[in-house]
Amino acid sequence: LDFQGSSIPSSMKKLVVTKLSQNFREAVTLQQDSPVPLPGDGDLLGRKRFVGINASDINYSAGRYDASVKPPFDVGFEGVGDVVALGLSASADYTVGQAVAYVKAGSFAEYTVVPARQAVPLPSVKPEFLTLMVSGATAYLSLKELGDLSEGKKVLVTAAAGGTGQFAVQLAKKAKCHVIGTCSSDEKGGFLKSIGCDRTINYKTENVESVLRKDYPEGVDVVYESVGGKMFDLALNALAIKGRLIVIGFIAGYQNPTGLQPIKAELLPAKLLKKSASVRGFFLNHYLSDYKMALQHLLKMYERGDLVCEVDFGDMSPEGKFTGLESVFRAVDYMYMGKNIGKIVVELPHSVNSKL
């Protein structure tokens, strides 16, 4: 592929982990002049228009997912953009200019090479599609595989107004469940009500434990839990007979050196036995065989108008909208301060006059 005469520059910006640390700003460096990668025969070269921020970005840059990987390595998990170049066999299914999304480590970059079979064709380049790639798919697959949802079940979603919580709320409502969502502000509570949440608990102004004990004395059937620490303990204690707690994360501890906040785990066997309850972990990478199916289902729901995909561009953050890779650092801080409603997305505007 010859870049000369094309609108593809020879270099780009990307974010690279240069040192392992649970402090994202310490771990990650913005590189200005990385070579734009070349697609192989079965690959696409995607120019990124939007990238998604995930709580796990910190776990990844702290080296917690794979201890054998040493810096430097690229960071970021998902992007939406258009195809700007492609290999010969990839051209059987894709064309230049087509909108695509992908989940691939190293997505905090202006251009990314993606195997065509891993890309997801989209009707257009919209940030809403990005919310489904990791956050939507996590909610859909974990509840489908582990939730055993049915009409009338009580479902508690922690961090319910966040990137993935918003989908857990909506999917549980679609299954005709009664949904309780925890959040940190009245504004978030209002958003949760607008997407169908039956009971919101603002943990800054209400005592979660007392509310659950008073309003749900029989307990809750399913918990979609992403906070960890004290919230995990509360959720565990609130389980009904045969209740299920699904762990999809523990953001409260990600910025700690160990990545964990202590929980009262020594009582776990007794608590589970007493209620015939269970705790299950869910990590999206272990369910990739069902991923395409989940995504197609979610895309159809969104296109039919059956799913709200709330995007937070950080317009209300102190320095304004998240634009350009350099604002990924602010976006990660914003998420850990618990400010976002919906999925945090960073826009990457590309200049028309590329430097060739």
Side-chain angles (χ1 to χ4, degrees), residues 138 142 146 158 222-229 232 235-236 244-251 254 260 263 268 278-284 287:
T138 295
S142 63
L146 309 176
T158 63
V222 179
V223 183
Y224 184 86
E225 216 295 277
S226 61
V227 177
F232 174 90
L236 182 68
R244 288 176 299 288
L245 190 156
I246 305 169
V247 175
I248 65 122
F250 33 92
I251 190 172
Y254 289 175
L260 291 165
I263 57 166
L268 193 62
S278 64
V279 175
R280 297 284 300 269
F282 178 89
F283 188 45
L284 186 58
Y287 290 83

Side-chain angles (χ1 to χ4, degrees), residues 15-324:
L15 294 185
V16 179
V17 176
T18 46
K19 152 187 183 194
L20 297 182
S21 168
Q22 72 278 359
N23 179 328
F24 191 81
R25 287 179 182 270
E26 277 181 19
V28 177
T29 305
L30 174 64
Q31 291 191 350
Q32 299 281 355
D33 288 317
S34 295
V36 171
L38 290 169
D41 179 56
D43 297 333
L44 311 172
L45 178 64
R47 175 174 55 190
K48 221 70 70 28
R49 295 284 298 285
F50 301 102
V51 292
I53 304 295
N54 291 287
S56 41
D57 289 327
I58 280 193
N59 279 343
Y60 194 63
S61 56
R64 290 186 186 130
Y65 285 147
D66 185 351
S68 67
V69 179
K70 301 284 178 264
F73 56 87
D74 298 352
V75 67
F77 291 118
E78 53 186 344
V80 164
D82 18 48
V83 176
V84 290
L86 67 177
L88 189 59
S89 61
S91 65
D93 299 307
Y94 288 91
T95 55
V96 166
Q98 191 166 354
V100 287
Y102 31 85
V103 175
K104 186 169 191 280
S107 284
F108 290 154
E110 291 176 321
Y111 293 83
T112 302
V113 166
V114 187
R117 60 190 162 70
Q118 286 176 19
V120 179
L122 297 175
S124 61
V125 177
K126 281 172 75 171
E128 284 78 9
F129 293 128
L130 194 53
T131 66
L132 302 174
M133 300 301 296
V134 170
S135 302
T138 295
Y140 178 83
L141 285 169
S142 63
L143 289 173
K144 181 174 178 289
E145 297 293 325
L146 309 176
D148 193 22
L149 301 183
S150 57
E151 188 170 350
K153 291 270 173 77
K154 296 181 203 59
V155 179
L156 170 65
V157 181
T158 63
T164 186
Q166 63 171 331
F167 295 111
V169 167
Q170 294 178 78
L171 293 167
K173 280 308 293 177
K174 295 262 181 277
K176 300 193 165 93
C177 296
H178 175 95
V179 183
I180 308 131
T182 70
C183 61
S184 59
S185 72
D186 291 343
E187 190 193 356
K188 290 183 179 189
F191 165 67
L192 289 173
K193 289 203 172 81
S194 78
I195 58 170
C197 202
D198 297 288
R199 173 69 160 97
T200 61
I201 308 174
N202 177 350
Y203 62 81
K204 295 274 173 80
T205 58
E206 295 181 271
N207 181 307
V208 179
E209 194 171 13
S210 333
V211 171
L212 291 172
R213 198 178 291 136
K214 177 173 153 292
D215 293 359
Y216 304 96
E218 300 291 302
V220 296
D221 303 296
V222 179
V223 183
Y224 184 86
E225 216 295 277
S226 61
V227 177
K230 292 188 179 70
M231 190 64 85
F232 174 90
D233 287 330
L234 287 180
L236 182 68
N237 291 341
L239 282 177
I241 303 291
K242 298 185 184 172
R244 288 176 299 288
L245 190 156
I246 305 169
V247 175
I248 65 122
F250 33 92
I251 190 172
Y254 289 175
Q255 289 178 300
N256 294 357
T258 59
L260 291 165
Q261 267 202 335
I263 57 166
K264 301 189 176 111
E266 64 274 12
L267 303 173
L268 193 62
K271 284 180 177 179
L272 295 179
L273 179 67
K274 187 174 149 194
K275 293 177 174 175
S276 293
S278 64
V279 175
R280 297 284 300 269
F282 178 89
F283 188 45
L284 186 58
N285 290 16
H286 300 145
Y287 290 83
L288 293 181
S289 56
D290 299 318
Y291 178 75
K292 277 257 165 97
M293 170 278 295
L295 209 52
Q296 277 154 0
H297 183 82
L298 291 166
L299 283 165
K300 284 198 188 91
M301 283 180 76
Y302 172 66
E303 284 167 13
R304 281 199 310 264
D306 287 345
L307 201 60
V308 172
C309 297
E310 190 69 19
V311 172
D312 192 332
F313 277 120
D315 295 297
M316 308 309 288
S317 68
E319 294 167 57
K321 187 175 174 178
F322 303 132
T323 306

Side-chain angles (χ1 to χ4, degrees), residues 320-331:
K321 187 175 174 178
F322 303 132
T323 306
L325 282 174
E326 50 282 359
S327 69
V328 166
F329 299 96
R330 284 201 298 122

